[in-house]
Amino acid sequence: MPVQPTFLTTPIYYVNAQPHLGHAYTTIAADVYARHMRQRGEDVFFLTGTDEHGDKNARVAAELGLTPQAFVDRNSANFLRMTEDVRATQDFFIRTTDEGHMRFVQDFLQTLKDNGHVYEGTYEGLYCTGCEAFYKEEELVDGLCPDHGTKPEWLQESNWFFRLSAFQQPLLDHYDAHPDFVSPQSRFNEARSFISGGLDDVSLSRASIEWGVPLPWAPDQTCYVWFDALLNYASAMTYARPGEDLTARYWPPRWQLLAKDILKFHAVIWPAMLMGAGYALPQRLMIHGYLTVRDTKMSKSIGNVLDPFAVIEAYGVDALRFYLLRDVRFGGDGGISYEAVHERYHSELANDLGNLVNRVIAMIGKYRDGVIPDARCETGIANAVELAREAIGRHVADMELTEALEAAWSVVRDLNRFVDARAPWVLAKDPALAAELDEVLYTLADGTRACAILLAAVLPDSAPRILAALGAGDDVAWEQAAPNLLAAGAQTAATGPLFPRVEEPLGSAAP
RNA sequence: GGCGGCGUAGCUCAGCUGGUUAGAGCAGCGGAAUCAUAAUCCGCGUGUCGUAGGUUCGAGUCCUACCGCCGCUACCA
């Protein structure tokens, strides 16, 4: 199979806030895809990072007595640490304050202008200085800013505009020619109908905001933060590897992941910008939904969200990764809770998978002195592995991560069924059945090994531990996700429980 | 208001272009087994498929109306 370049991105996260579950969610999903494609031997470039310009940051920095740069340095570091905490394996962590990025933004804007897509105009409206944004009258609450409760002022400023309106037809043409441009389908329809409803030009600059990228032809204005931010996906190609331009190798992105709240920026403005500058468009955008905390009578406290770091601490990072992709169909909205984490962790990770590994290792230890017998994988299990491998490959490629996990889990369930059906403890009592016992034990060890490969992208901590326990080495290459590849004679190694039981769900004893 | 979507077992949800007795997981009940983190396996659901009509030989699956919920309806990340 030829090595394919695979460029995928998460949005860059706005450093004004602390990293939270939403950030972790997108990052984890992207990481699962990246790890999977690396298993398949593809040439992956996984990009994530932070969005650092905008007046909001400058103001908060001032309140804290920091320079804007010091402030974003500190907060960006929190996001970088978050990617490490969830075991994300990005190939580059971009920051919009990077010199390489800012230079690219200026070049890009100049290209847009040279191509005739930028003009000077006047923007006027009700402006809230707190929000750094214009409001329509109907958006105000009693004539006041809905966020700040202050009275917006009528402001008029000269801005530079991007001729988005000119791209309505080209965008529609692209949507019609690429029916899988935006997933899920409902988001595709939403974006397309938005475009067909008519596009207005958008201002791409701000006057009187200093914390940003100056327009190359009008340094008194800075680039509107969204233009600045969107361009990270392209700018990273030019400087992520010093002295090397990766654009030819990776562009365009195969997948760009984002949550539904920023659909229009990515599905309308972003492709139009790329068209205007002569870039190829991303192949596919994956729009995922919101994780909502279940509205139970129990949770009275406001802002009682699920803390991903608390879950990692209590259950391990694999549990968080598994839970988020398993319990909520990737792409849609879904309710989450600490109780559900607790249930999934025990019923599936601990009982189904963890206990499977444990019982297999125990039986091989007890009946064969911890040596993998010389036998062949039973055909039913072998077929199940082959089927799951095919299904998972297909699902992950289409960013159907929940479905992929379901396909992997069916093999785990098959293996547990197989244990009971063949009852090795009965076979062990009759020396005449030694060959059958060998086959059963080999099948269990080999099948469990294959499951570890199938799940390695989701469970980066546990999969290698399973392989080690089975004496199966540490190669998680996708070709290994096939039956009969466990070497006979390998020595198993006892391990503690992979997923030790946890007494109480988080949040059950709130102070 | 306009456009779009959703409403399926106690819970969370699958059900592609209409076609055998509507499915899965969890929870619950009963049983088996003992290798294992008391984990596992087997069996058990008469569900008005939101409501009322319609098209069809046949409709969760298409059409209409209605009820309920939700998203989008241009520049706060």
Side-chain angles (χ1 to χ4, degrees):
Chain A
M1 190 199 286
V3 174
Q4 289 192 54
T6 297
F7 177 32
L8 86 155
T9 70
T10 73
I12 50 174
Y13 305 119
Y14 198 61
V15 291
N16 193 44
Q18 290 298 306
H20 57 62
L21 182 65
H23 305 119
Y25 184 44
T26 314
T27 302
I28 287 170
D31 185 60
V32 167
Y33 183 92
R35 285 177 184 268
H36 175 84
M37 288 306 170
R38 287 195 201 101
Q39 281 186 276
R40 307 183 74 137
E42 296 200 5
D43 177 18
V44 175
F45 195 90
F46 169 21
L47 179 70
T48 188
T50 46
D51 177 14
E52 308 186 5
H53 286 128
D55 198 44
K56 210 176 269 185
N57 287 322
R59 261 185 297 111
V60 175
E63 285 168 18
L64 295 173
L66 297 170
T67 65
Q69 189 65 53
F71 174 73
V72 298
D73 283 350
R74 191 186 68 185
N75 284 13
S76 178
N78 292 335
F79 282 88
L80 178 59
R81 197 175 318 114
M82 179 273 285
T83 69
E84 293 163 356
D85 289 343
V86 303
R87 302 287 192 280
T89 53
Q90 67 270 10
D91 295 283
F92 187 59
F93 188 93
I94 191 170
R95 302 181 53 189
T96 55
T97 51
D98 290 342
E99 192 261 333
H101 171 77
M102 295 176 69
R103 187 177 55 235
F104 180 90
V105 169
Q106 292 199 320
D107 291 348
F108 191 96
L109 293 176
Q110 188 64 55
T111 301
L112 274 187
K113 186 164 184 292
D114 293 345
N115 291 349
H117 302 306
V118 175
Y119 63 93
E120 188 168 22
T122 302
Y123 200 106
E124 59 181 329
L126 292 162
Y127 185 83
C128 171
T129 50
C131 297
E132 184 209 319
F134 286 94
Y135 279 99
K136 290 181 167 181
E137 289 200 37
E138 57 265 31
E139 292 175 318
L140 301 176
V141 179
D142 299 327
L144 302 177
C145 167
D147 282 357
H148 294 81
T150 54
K151 183 168 175 148
E153 50 193 301
W154 189 260
L155 205 76
Q156 183 176 357
E157 71 174 41
S158 173
N159 282 157
W160 292 84
F161 282 74
F162 172 53
R163 214 178 291 280
L164 181 63
S165 58
F167 292 92
Q168 178 174 357
Q169 195 54 49
L171 284 169
L172 290 175
D173 292 344
H174 188 265
Y175 271 73
D176 293 339
H178 302 85
D180 62 356
F181 180 50
V182 178
S183 295
Q185 187 67 42
S186 55
R187 299 297 170 197
F188 177 97
N189 296 339
E190 189 178 316
R192 195 190 179 287
S193 71
F194 177 81
I195 296 166
S196 65
L199 299 174
D200 288 346
D201 295 341
V202 293
S203 85
L204 58 67
S205 71
R206 289 285 186 274
S208 74
I209 289 174
E210 293 178 10
W211 187 238
V213 181
L215 299 190
W217 63 85
D220 58 315
Q221 300 228 357
T222 53
C223 179
Y224 174 45
V225 285
W226 260 111
F227 276 74
D228 178 2
L230 288 165
L231 288 172
N232 91 85
Y233 305 126
S235 75
M237 297 282 97
T238 64
Y239 73 96
R241 297 290 175 268
E244 187 182 358
D245 192 318
L246 302 170
T247 308
R249 180 166 163 193
Y250 291 112
W251 194 266
R254 178 163 332 166
W255 276 108
Q256 299 203 269
L257 275 62
L258 50 133
K260 62 184 185 180
D261 55 335
I262 52 178
L263 170 67
K264 265 177 299 190
F265 292 102
H266 287 81
V268 181
I269 297 176
W270 168 232
M273 290 164 67
L274 292 172
M275 286 176 174
Y279 278 67
L281 269 48
Q283 291 178 21
R284 305 184 69 176
L285 308 179
M286 177 67 201
I287 320 301
H288 70 254
Y290 285 154
L291 304 175
T292 58
V293 173
R294 276 177 198 156
D295 191 7
T296 61
K297 301 147 197 160
M298 302 281 287
S299 62
K300 291 169 185 164
S301 55
I302 304 169
N304 184 20
V305 296
L306 190 138
D307 178 357
F309 308 108
V311 171
I312 290 172
E313 190 170 337
Y315 299 88
V317 66
D318 283 3
L320 177 69
R321 295 168 62 101
F322 177 81
Y323 172 75
L324 293 178
L325 297 176
R326 178 77 167 133
D327 211 37
V328 177
R329 172 168 297 262
F330 191 60
D333 292 347
I336 55 165
S337 67
Y338 285 130
E339 289 75 17
V341 172
H342 196 74
E343 284 174 24
R344 283 282 185 192
Y345 175 81
H346 287 97
S347 72
E348 300 196 323
L349 288 177
N351 296 352
D352 288 348
L353 179 60
N355 184 52
L356 171 67
V357 173
N358 210 36
R359 67 200 302 208
V360 169
I361 297 293
M363 286 188 285
I364 292 173
K366 185 172 289 191
Y367 304 138
R368 290 294 181 266
D369 295 323
V371 177
I372 303 296
D374 188 1
R376 298 285 294 173
C377 188
E378 185 267 344
T379 56
I381 295 298
N383 289 339
V385 168
E386 300 277 20
L387 280 174
R389 177 181 170 206
E390 186 279 326
I392 293 167
R394 185 162 34 81
H395 286 310
V396 174
D398 283 333
M399 216 44 98
E400 295 168 348
L401 303 180
T402 304
E403 288 82 351
L405 214 34
E406 174 58 37
W409 224 253
S410 74
V411 183
V412 175
R413 293 205 172 95
D414 286 343
L415 285 164
N416 273 318
R417 264 193 287 276
F418 184 78
V419 176
D420 281 63
R422 301 296 288 270
W425 49 90
V426 174
L427 302 176
K429 288 173 183 160
D430 185 350
L433 299 176
E436 184 179 348
L437 180 58
D438 281 348
E439 185 208 21
V440 170
L441 295 178
Y442 182 83
T443 298
L444 290 171
D446 189 53
T448 304
R449 176 198 59 79
C451 280
I453 308 286
L454 294 174
L455 290 162
V458 178
L459 308 176
D461 272 6
S462 308
R465 292 179 61 196
I466 295 171
L467 295 178
L470 293 165
D474 56 6
D475 183 6
V476 296
W478 198 238
E479 305 87 75
Q480 298 292 316
N484 291 309
L485 295 179
L486 181 58
Q491 183 72 42
T492 63
T495 64
L498 276 174
F499 304 102
R501 306 194 79 75
V502 175
E503 289 300 320
E504 290 287 324
L506 290 164
S508 58

